[in-house]
């Protein structure tokens, strides 16, 4: 326990006279000694309660909520505390699932300690933001207890309704706030870099929306390390506000950016990571092991790219590696997640798949990275969300030995610059 007291000579001056001007009592020559004595008394009380530290020594490390077990980390090296597991609304909210199921998902997440909810203006053509806002209003959750993030780039069909121009950043964020019925978002992300807009214009526009109280912070999504560094340099050059984090894809089969490029930015300029797709669009669940189930995402026409990826030679190799990884997950008492053990069922018949309700290892594997502030979960049913939230239980088991075993099976651990030089 740490207790901080702001004890100064100003706070310990002698009492004011009746005229209120604070003139020292001439009959008290030992007033200074008395003030020092009171300071020592306060210091002794502080030491008895805990360590006596200055306010700027407050720990910024991971903390745990006692009631839910959820862990919280700083968003990059900002002061914003976010749950290490967040809920994403890509595709599902306003799209694949009903508003009732969406409400159940948000309720389960919130009651489990999740405070980070991510959306974007493009998700379901704005319907995801509407659904998110309606749920927050209906549940009457305290706005101060939530961290709401959205992304800007694709806002409409008109030429001026997409991109990262000053016009679209300001108008797009106003539109998002209107759909969500909110006065502000906590973080607004620039979703992918815009080669048509100068970096200075993007940074100035993001600084403007923050200064106007429309957002607390801003970040990037799917930017390269060089582009993030350019934004930071522009911000420092013109006394503007730099980004605090990057949204990046991160899972067993997508590692280079988060493990090699972004750690350097985290240590140098404080840019953290909010990772997404920890299950690689469902590939890591193992449901594509024996083909493409009819009810899966890869069976949809709009996801032909995912189907092609799964059926490719590289996709078959990934499925083989997942079978080996499942044995490590079993030893940890978890899944990859939701590893299905089929009992003599047809490849596309999911009705007889047996799911073991063990917490998943893949989100926990992502969280082992110190630069990852939060992992966004994308689920379409309450059972899957509950299981994925169990990744918090697996995190302590993700030791260096376990991570080394996983690296050995995957065979794709990227080499850092330091390792390359050695």
């Amino acid at each position: 326990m740490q207790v901080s007291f702001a004890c100064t000579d100003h706070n310990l001056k002698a009492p004011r006279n009746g005229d209120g001007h604070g003139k020292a009592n001439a009959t008290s020559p030992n007033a200074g000694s008395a003030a020092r004595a009171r300071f020592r008394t306060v210091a002794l009380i502080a030491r008895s309660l805990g360590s006596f530290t200055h306010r700027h020594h407050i720990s910024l490390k991971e903390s745990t909520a006692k009631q839910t077990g959820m862990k919280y980390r700083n968003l990059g090296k900002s002061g914003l505390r976010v749950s290490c597991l967040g809920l994403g609304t890509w595709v599902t909210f306003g799209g694949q699932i009903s508003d009732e199921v969406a409400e159940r998902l948000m309720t389960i997440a919130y009651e489990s300690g999740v405070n980070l909810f991510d959306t974007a203006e493009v998700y379901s053509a704005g319907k995801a933001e509407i659904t998110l806002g309606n749920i927050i209003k209906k549940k009457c959750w305290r706005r101060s207890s939530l961290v709401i993030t959205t992304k800007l780039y694709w806002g409409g069909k008109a030429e001026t309704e997409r991109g990262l121009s000053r016009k679209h950043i300001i108008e797009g964020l106003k539109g998002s706030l209107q759909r969500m019925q909110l006065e502000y978002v906590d973080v607004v992300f620039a979703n992918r870099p815009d080669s048509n807009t100068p970096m200075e214009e993007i940074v100035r526009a993001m600084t403007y929306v923050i200064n106007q109280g429309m957002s607390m912070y801003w970040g990037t999504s799917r930017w390269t390390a060089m582009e993030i560094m350019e934004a930071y340099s522009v911000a420092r050059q013109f006394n503007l506000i730099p980004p605090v984090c990057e949204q990046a894809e991160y899972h067993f089969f997508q590692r280079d950016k988060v493990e090699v490029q972004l750690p350097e930015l985290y240590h140098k300029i404080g840019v953290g990571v909010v990772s997404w797709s920890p299950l690689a669009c469902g590939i890591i669940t193992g449901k594509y092991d024996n083909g493409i189930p009819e009810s899966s995402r890869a069976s949809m026409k709009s996801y032909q790219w995912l189907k092609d990826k799964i059926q490719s030679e590289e996709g078959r190799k990934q499925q083989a590696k997942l079978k080996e990884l499942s044995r490590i997950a079993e030893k940890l008492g978890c899944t990859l997640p939701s590893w299905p053990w089929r009992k003599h069922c047809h490849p596309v018949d999911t009705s007889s798949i047996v799911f073991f309700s063990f917490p998943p290892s893949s989100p926990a594997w992502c969280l082992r990275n110190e630069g990852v502030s939060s992992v966004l979960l994308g689920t379409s049913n309450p059972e899957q969300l509950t299981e994925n939230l169990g990744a918090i239980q697996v995190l302590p088991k993700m030791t260096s030995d376990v991570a080394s075993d996983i690296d050995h099976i995957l065979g794709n651990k990227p080499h850092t610059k330091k390792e390359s030089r050695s």
Side-chain angles (χ1 to χ4, degrees), residues 57-124:
H57 285 165
I58 295 175
S59 174
L60 298 180
K61 295 181 180 180
E62 187 175 80
S63 62
T64 305
K66 294 181 179 179
Q67 294 181 342
T68 63
M70 178 57 65
K71 297 184 183 298
Y72 300 90
R73 299 177 176 179
N74 287 69
L75 184 63
K77 291 192 177 180
S78 73
L80 182 61
R81 301 288 281 179
V82 297
S83 53
C84 65
L85 293 177
L87 183 64
T89 61
W90 179 43
V91 180
T92 54
F93 278 42
Q96 286 185 346
I97 62 176
S98 64
D99 291 351
E100 291 74 15
V101 174
E103 182 179 339
R104 286 185 62 192
L105 292 175
M106 280 197 67
T107 302
I108 291 172
Y110 185 77
E111 293 178 350
S112 300
V114 171
N115 69 0
L116 175 58
F117 297 91
D118 177 75
T119 187
E121 62 175 350
V122 71
Y123 291 171
S124 301

Side-chain angles (χ1 to χ4, degrees), residues 154-223:
W154 292 280
K157 296 181 180 179
E159 189 69 20
T160 55
E161 292 177 330
R162 58 179 179 267
L164 295 177
S165 66
R166 179 183 177 89
K167 175 180 175 64
H168 181 58
I169 287 177
I170 296 173
E171 292 180 344
L173 184 53
K174 285 183 178 179
S176 293
L177 294 177
Q178 184 178 10
R179 286 188 290 272
M180 290 188 283
Q181 306 173 70
L182 299 176
E183 295 181 358
Y184 66 93
V185 292
D186 296 279
V187 188
V188 56
F189 287 94
N191 192 11
R192 71 174 289 183
D194 185 1
S195 59
N196 297 320
T197 306
M199 185 63 73
E200 182 182 342
E201 180 176 343
I202 297 173
V203 180
R204 285 191 180 277
M206 287 298 188
T207 300
Y208 173 82
V209 298
I210 291 176
N211 289 338
Q212 292 297 309
M214 300 165 65
S215 181
M216 300 293 188
Y217 306 86
W218 79 279
T220 59
S221 179
R222 301 172 67 185
W223 285 33

Side-chain angles (χ1 to χ4, degrees), residues 74 221 234 238 272 278 285 351 411:
N74 287 69
S221 179
V234 168
F238 297 105
T285 63
S351 61

Side-chain angles (χ1 to χ4, degrees), residues 110 136 139-146:
Y110 185 77
I136 293 173
K139 302 297 289 189
C140 296
W141 290 327
R142 299 189 315 280
R143 178 63 183 90
S144 56
S145 69
L146 301 170

